[in-house]
Amino acid sequence: MKKIVSVVMLLAVMVVSTVAFVQTASAEEVKMVGTISKIEMAADGKSATAILKDSKTEESVTIIVSDELTLDKFKDKRIVEGDEIRCKFDKADGKNSSKMFKKTAGC
Amino acid sequence: MSGKIIAILMGCTLLSTAVQAKEHPGKEKILKDGYQGPKTCEKCHPGKAAEFLKTVHWKHASKVDHVDNINPNEEYGMKNRIYTMCNGNDIVNNLKEVPPNALGKTKFTGCNTCHPGDHTSDVGSTGPQAEQAIDCLICHSTKYDFSKRKPVKDSNGKVVMTQDRSTEAAANVGRPTIKNCMVCHEAAGGGAMIKRGFSMAKDAEVHVTKGIICIDCHQVKNHKFPTGRDPNNWAHDGIYMTCVGECHSVKPHSDADYNRHTAKIACQTCHIPKTGGAFSKDFTKWEKQSNGFYEPSTLKREVNETAPVYAWYNLTVSNTPKFIGPKGSRTDGKSKIYPFKIFQGKAYFNKKNGQLLSMDFAPPIANGDSLAGVASAAKILGIKDYEPVPGWQTIYFGSNHQVAPKNKALICANCHALNGVLNFKELGYSPKEAEKLTNPELYFEKLLKLQQENE
């Protein structure tokens, strides 16, 4: 019985690991330039949702931002709605998680 | 770590806690009376506005005495310099609205966008109006609303830069934070982390990790900022700084071998092993963006992706149309080996005198026509006799920020192994000397011991 439980446990671990690996591996990195149409901070301030209008396709893309530096820029309005952004994000499970979120403007 | 450094770090921590906890004196009065710009600040800080107008942050230029081929009686800086990271300057790229692009869109652009005035009082302006135009709060407030600072056209069609002069911003003033500095300093060269390519985030810079902020090292006196000796950063307030001083001694390591190196190797060489940002740009070829505007084609890396080049530097600068970089040698008795970010930029040179031409970005941003940009800049500068020909310029940028944690600093083998980062022959050593300098005898025992300790 003990042996069967061990085998079942091992199989379960393998299945979970495989699923996790497949999910990670299936994350697609997307690069985009777009204009922010909406920024919404989470209540706890630890993440935000930014909606960008893709400059190429004009489609609206929702991106989750969770890095401290960008969140701070949202808070003090260094980045605001209407700003043009160059970003990279991971697309997985219907969610777009920001990896880079920078204003295109510079002097 | 020495007791002195621990004491300084503790001091910084205590001071930052105290600064955060302590309100700026006069807050109640500001809240009661509101903020009327610099004249409110001057009630308690008389003379500071006039003082600020004399600094590089306002003038974007100073006299320069360590660079070849310039007039020591004139002032140089981003106000008027021409080089291929920024092929324009405050004069030719004065903040303006660009012509409409093919999609009918327009936007404001200019090198002096970061100037802390209101554009009516611009780079190098003087007098009472300029004093009242200073945006004190952009550097001093922790509650500055950056969305309120933007270029707009006034009722006469003149481009002005608005400011956040709210009571809330004024009531929350103090020493400039990293954020206050980086608002401008991270956006230079055409976008975030492009020009110098370093980050001042906690996870990127060991000083920031320890709670040290920009002005703890750049210790400001009367609004004058001490700077390092980047070969491409010419303008200065007359004060220079080094790592050695309050925090680090001339013999900062517990290891005598490392300490022996400090006579010839700059601290940055081992402690700043990576840099980033743009490493090449072509101002003759502008790329159309998805928004219909054009940008100079740029090769760039993330902040920690570029290995520096190393060269002897005696703190004087070679400046020719094709090269801006360190002077120095192994034998001059003044030089040390420093790390640099090497950058190569393509732009137009005047075939008639070999000088680099500058470019007004407004025309190429709108339609990609780089020669129209050269023509516009030549008109602004009154240059009539020119024939633009494309060519490359090489620039060495000092690598002075983004200090790595101790365990990421270069160690013996990083330089003395055969595949080390230093090219001893290029640095002036004979083949025989280079062979000796790359002999494992130099480091094997030390690194073996270190390896055993870490296993």
Side-chain angles (χ1 to χ4, degrees):
Chain A
M1 183 64 186
K2 228 176 180 180
K3 199 176 175 185
I4 294 170
V5 171
S6 300
V7 170
V8 169
M9 288 286 282
L10 187 65
L11 279 172
V13 168
M14 281 172 71
V15 168
V16 170
S17 308
T18 308
V19 169
F21 175 75
V22 168
Q23 280 182 337
T24 310
S26 66
E28 177 197 357
E29 186 180 280
V30 181
K31 288 180 186 176
M32 189 183 113
V33 173
T35 305
I36 304 177
S37 58
K38 196 173 182 187
I39 298 173
E40 207 165 275
M41 293 293 297
D44 63 4
K46 288 178 181 168
S47 68
T49 306
I51 302 176
L52 268 68
K53 192 175 171 188
D54 190 329
S55 299
K56 270 186 190 160
T57 63
E58 303 236 314
E59 271 177 39
S60 286
V61 179
T62 302
I63 298 167
I64 298 164
V65 177
S66 51
D67 75 281
E68 212 177 295
L69 216 61
T70 309
L71 292 173
D72 199 36
K73 288 180 181 180
F74 290 165
K75 284 174 197 164
D76 62 25
K77 298 179 186 170
R78 275 176 288 167
I79 296 179
V80 292
E81 289 165 10
D83 281 344
E84 189 180 71
I85 299 296
R86 179 172 285 116
C87 64
K88 256 192 258 180
F89 56 86
D90 275 340
K91 191 175 181 177
D93 300 332
K95 280 183 185 175
N96 302 321
S97 307
S98 169
K99 289 174 79 180
M100 184 194 86
F101 201 91
K102 292 175 182 174
K103 274 166 86 162
T104 55
C107 65
Chain B
M1 189 183 286
S2 75
K4 196 175 173 186
I5 294 177
I6 292 170
I8 288 166
L9 287 175
M10 284 179 70
C12 283
T13 310
L14 284 172
L15 188 63
S16 68
T17 311
V19 167
Q20 279 168 11
K22 196 180 163 190
E23 284 180 351
H24 185 266
K27 180 173 180 174
E28 289 306 317
K29 189 160 175 52
I30 292 169
L31 287 171
K32 183 170 161 277
D33 298 344
Y35 182 65
Q36 287 87 39
K39 68 182 169 194
T40 300
C41 307
E42 289 249 314
K43 283 178 187 164
C44 297
H45 307 284
K48 286 291 161 186
E51 173 187 291
F52 185 68
L53 299 188
K54 294 175 185 159
T55 67
V56 165
H57 274 92
W58 187 262
K59 290 163 64 185
H60 284 186
S62 76
K63 286 187 178 174
V64 176
D65 59 7
H66 63 288
V67 178
D68 287 353
N69 301 321
I70 58 169
N71 183 344
N73 298 316
E74 285 185 15
E75 295 196 333
Y76 296 86
M78 63 181 280
K79 175 187 171 183
N80 56 2
R81 280 191 59 201
I82 304 166
Y83 60 102
T84 55
M85 171 63 87
C86 306
N87 194 207
N89 52 46
D90 293 337
I91 295 170
V92 299
N93 280 307
N94 184 17
L95 177 60
K96 60 173 86 74
E97 190 174 26
V98 305
N101 65 16
L103 301 173
K105 289 183 190 170
T106 184
K107 64 178 179 179
F108 293 95
T109 185
C111 296
N112 49 346
T113 308
C114 273
H115 183 260
D118 60 6
H119 196 229
T120 300
S121 290
D122 197 16
V123 175
S125 55
T126 56
Q129 190 184 345
E131 287 176 23
Q132 293 313 311
I134 300 170
D135 192 352
C136 306
L137 304 183
I138 196 167
C139 297
H140 287 284
S141 174
T142 53
K143 294 274 175 153
Y144 196 93
D145 179 345
F146 292 94
S147 67
K148 290 183 179 167
R149 188 180 159 84
K150 57 188 172 193
V152 293
K153 276 188 174 173
D154 68 10
S155 53
N156 298 318
K158 189 176 180 333
V159 178
V160 294
M161 182 63 84
T162 60
Q163 301 177 2
D164 179 8
R165 292 196 166 189
S166 65
T167 304
E168 194 195 5
N172 289 280
V173 289
R175 301 171 80 219
T177 62
I178 292 175
K179 178 164 69 184
N180 293 110
C181 302
M182 293 307 279
V183 164
C184 291
H185 286 280
E186 80 169 19
M193 319 294 184
I194 291 289
K195 186 174 181 181
R196 303 198 177 275
F198 65 80
S199 165
M200 289 296 279
K202 276 181 190 169
D203 57 355
E205 228 289 347
V206 74
H207 293 94
V208 183
T209 314
K210 291 175 190 296
I212 295 168
I213 63 171
C214 307
I215 58 168
D216 288 330
C217 299
H218 296 267
Q219 292 183 356
V220 188
K221 284 178 188 146
N222 302 324
H223 282 109
K224 290 183 183 298
F225 277 71
T227 59
R229 304 296 292 255
D230 180 342
N232 194 49
N233 188 21
W234 296 0
H236 59 85
D237 279 328
I239 321 165
Y240 288 112
M241 55 181 282
T242 66
C243 309
V244 175
E246 279 180 34
C247 301
H248 304 289
S249 72
V250 284
K251 290 182 178 173
H253 311 98
S254 54
D255 184 314
D257 288 335
Y258 285 164
N259 281 338
R260 213 172 47 244
H261 280 70
T262 61
K264 292 290 178 189
I265 308 285
C267 308
Q268 297 94 312
T269 300
C270 300
H271 293 278
I272 306 180
K274 292 281 180 186
T275 179
F279 61 94
S280 192
K281 271 190 191 182
D282 184 351
F283 282 98
T284 70
K285 185 183 173 188
W286 288 61
E287 289 181 316
K288 192 172 186 180
Q289 307 297 301
S290 48
N291 57 13
F293 292 113
Y294 290 76
E295 283 181 14
S297 45
T298 304
L299 298 176
K300 58 194 173 219
R301 295 198 183 102
E302 293 301 318
V303 294
N304 220 1
E305 288 184 349
T306 302
V309 294
Y310 300 89
W312 291 102
Y313 182 33
N314 63 16
L315 310 183
T316 64
V317 176
S318 171
N319 170 43
T320 69
K322 296 283 182 181
F323 180 81
I324 299 169
K327 287 171 74 176
S329 74
R330 187 190 158 199
T331 53
D332 67 6
K334 297 174 191 166
S335 299
K336 288 187 181 186
I337 295 172
Y338 283 78
F340 300 93
K341 177 176 94 163
I342 202 162
F343 171 86
Q344 291 182 295
K346 189 178 186 183
Y348 292 101
F349 290 78
N350 186 351
K351 194 177 177 185
K352 299 198 170 181
N353 62 13
Q355 295 299 309
L356 179 64
L357 291 161
S358 63
M359 191 179 289
D360 173 4
F361 295 158
I365 283 176
N367 57 26
D369 186 348
S370 58
L371 283 169
V374 172
S376 176
K379 190 177 173 191
I380 292 165
L381 297 171
I383 300 171
K384 288 177 184 159
D385 188 23
Y386 71 98
E387 188 181 335
V389 287
W392 290 91
Q393 181 191 52
T394 300
I395 303 170
Y396 280 53
F397 283 91
S399 197
N400 297 320
H401 294 89
Q402 206 165 271
V403 177
K406 199 174 172 182
N407 62 359
K408 298 260 176 73
L410 303 185
I411 58 171
C412 316
N414 292 112
C415 296
H416 291 286
L418 276 177
N419 61 346
V421 298
L422 295 186
N423 184 331
F424 290 108
K425 287 175 192 165
E426 288 271 312
L427 288 165
Y429 293 88
S430 68
K432 203 171 177 184
E433 286 172 316
E435 192 183 334
K436 197 174 159 193
L437 284 164
T438 50
N439 188 324
E441 229 22 89
L442 283 174
Y443 57 82
F444 194 90
E445 287 302 323
K446 183 188 281 282
L447 291 191
L448 184 66
K449 195 175 162 203
L450 193 68
Q451 185 174 281
Q452 286 164 348
E453 281 169 7
N454 290 331
E455 272 174 356

